[in-house]
Amino acid sequence: MVCKKEKIIISRLKPTNVNHIQKIQEGSDENSWGKESLIHLLNEGSGSGFILYKGILGAGYIIARKIQNDLEILSLAVIPEYQRMGLGSILFKEMEKCIIKGNRTKLFLEVKNNNRKAKSFYKSMGLCEIKVLEKYYKTDEGREDGLMLSKVYI
């Protein structure tokens, strides 16, 4: 089921609305970003992002940063009750507009190798695996491999 656009509001991430990101993180599996880290990323770290609202509820977000002529997706999350409704795709496509408008050549991100849902989602958005990142993520059991995924826009 895909959400109807008229029920959705997408706002640019600003230092004044980073609290909404933290509320979304509480209800998702995504690693938490502290308020200070988010504000620093936006003000001094060439970061950007969007928050997606369904009604008045923050339902999802995407955070990225510019690295030279590329864009790195740092985090994308949708709260569980709104997953599999197309909201992640809407957020991703909104960020893609920024990539194209900003003449970026490539988007990339890292994902845990065992995160099947995320890998499937990113592949559906056109990203390809470019590298295995051995023992990249720290876990309670030790270390876990990650994958670097990329999409080229040239």
Side-chain angles (χ1 to χ4, degrees):
M1 172 193 214
V2 175
C3 294
K4 295 185 181 353
K5 260 195 158 174
E6 56 269 5
K7 295 182 181 180
I8 293 170
I9 298 169
I10 298 174
S11 295
R12 188 166 286 283
L13 183 59
K14 301 175 277 198
T16 56
N17 63 9
V18 295
N19 290 341
H20 298 177
I21 297 277
Q22 293 178 300
K23 289 193 186 310
I24 295 166
Q25 287 174 346
E26 290 170 8
S28 74
D29 294 332
E30 191 62 22
N31 292 334
S32 292
W33 280 76
K35 182 177 180 177
E36 295 79 22
S37 296
L38 285 168
I39 291 171
H40 177 78
L41 178 69
L42 293 171
N43 289 338
E44 300 175 38
S46 69
S48 63
F50 297 98
I51 302 174
L52 185 144
Y53 296 93
K54 185 124 169 65
I56 60 168
L57 177 68
Y61 70 87
I62 188 167
I63 303 169
R65 69 176 170 180
K66 294 177 235 169
I67 298 179
Q68 295 176 349
N69 207 31
D70 299 336
L71 194 76
E72 178 184 20
I73 300 290
L74 299 171
S75 185
L76 185 149
V78 175
I79 58 175
E81 55 264 36
Y82 290 115
Q83 290 179 0
R84 313 257 341 135
M85 298 173 117
L87 301 180
S89 297
I90 291 169
L91 283 163
F92 189 88
K93 288 174 184 174
E94 194 69 26
M95 190 58 76
E96 280 191 309
K97 290 178 192 175
C98 295
I99 292 167
I100 293 163
K101 188 177 176 181
N103 294 317
R104 303 274 167 231
T105 57
K106 181 174 63 175
L107 174 141
F108 68 96
L109 59 89
E110 295 90 24
V111 64
K112 287 183 180 177
N113 195 29
N114 73 354
N115 189 339
R116 289 186 187 102
K117 284 188 341 184
K119 288 183 349 184
S120 175
F121 170 76
Y122 289 123
K123 286 180 182 180
S124 76
M125 295 288 104
L127 279 80
C128 298
E129 294 180 21
I130 59 169
K131 184 178 183 179
V132 174
L133 306 168
E134 292 184 26
K135 300 179 181 175
Y136 186 74
Y137 290 99
K138 191 185 230 184
T139 67
D140 292 339
E141 294 82 37
R143 305 287 275 168
E144 180 181 333
D145 288 351
L147 291 175
M148 181 174 281
L149 305 177
S150 179
K151 184 172 180 179
V152 176
Y153 294 87
I154 298 175

